[in-house]
Amino acid sequence: MAMGADTTTAFGIDSSWGWPIGGALGGAIAAAAFGLVMWLMDPEILAVAIPAIYGLEPVGVVGWTIHVAHGVVLGLLFGFLVTREPILGIVATSTETEALSRTGIALRVVGAGFVFGLAVWAILPLLVLPVWLEALGVEAAADFPATAVESMIGHLLFGTVLGLVFAVTIDFRDRPARSPFEE
């Protein structure tokens, strides 16, 4: 078998370069899940507010397309981060807590996705979006519910689904998981 070739096992892609596939796929599915919840709560967010962030007119599926594209980019970021040695080492570290030590790496990756979703909510809609909107002078997107509980729940859903899809897609068995806490 060629070095670095993508191969699929019963547990997912076992190549060290499988993370972009898992990240993009997880991000797209997670963004669709989050988008569905948003659309059920307030369809105007996807239809009008998201395109308005970029100064676009609310035409067709522009909001959905932008939302899923955001998810893919964030999924790639998650995949990159969670497969790097320091973070993977933390995720795979044996713990002294019995409940955590019984969980497999897949469940821990789902937990990392949850934390990632919380971080995305804290950074992008709470910090970056207000500055972006003020710089552009976009009024239509000013109603974007960045700090709403629904936004936080949606981002937590995004992160959890992202972590779940990533954990199912990627095979972590061959990954070095040296803990950064050990010498």
Side-chain angles (χ1 to χ4, degrees), residues 50-145:
I50 290 178
I53 292 170
Y54 294 97
L56 300 172
E57 294 296 320
V59 179
V61 294
V62 172
W64 272 101
T65 304
I66 292 169
H67 184 68
V68 172
H70 286 166
V72 168
V73 170
L74 290 170
L76 287 169
L77 177 62
F78 175 78
F80 176 78
L81 292 173
V82 83
T83 57
R84 299 309 103 180
E85 191 172 315
I87 295 175
L88 183 59
I90 291 169
V91 170
T93 296
S94 295
T95 62
E96 294 179 15
T97 306
E98 188 175 325
L100 282 178
S101 65
R102 287 189 304 222
T103 62
I105 192 164
L107 188 57
R108 293 178 186 190
V109 169
V110 174
F114 181 88
V115 171
F116 183 77
L118 185 62
V120 166
W121 174 74
I123 294 169
L124 293 180
L126 296 183
L127 299 176
V128 175
L129 185 62
V131 173
W132 175 274
L133 294 176
E134 187 174 325
L136 291 179
V138 177
E139 293 178 26
D143 296 330
F144 201 89

Side-chain angles (χ1 to χ4, degrees), residues 24 26-40 42-54 56 60-75 120 124-125 144 150-151 153-159:
I29 292 171
F34 179 16
L36 182 61
V37 170
M38 242 191 313
W39 183 73
L40 290 172
D42 186 2
E44 293 297 308
I45 295 171
L46 279 166
V48 178
I50 290 178
I53 292 170
Y54 294 97
L56 300 172
V61 294
V62 172
W64 272 101
T65 304
I66 292 169
H67 184 68
V68 172
H70 286 166
V72 168
V73 170
L74 290 170
V120 166
L124 293 180
F144 201 89
E150 294 87 359
S151 176
I153 291 170
H155 283 90
L156 291 174
L157 172 68
F158 169 81

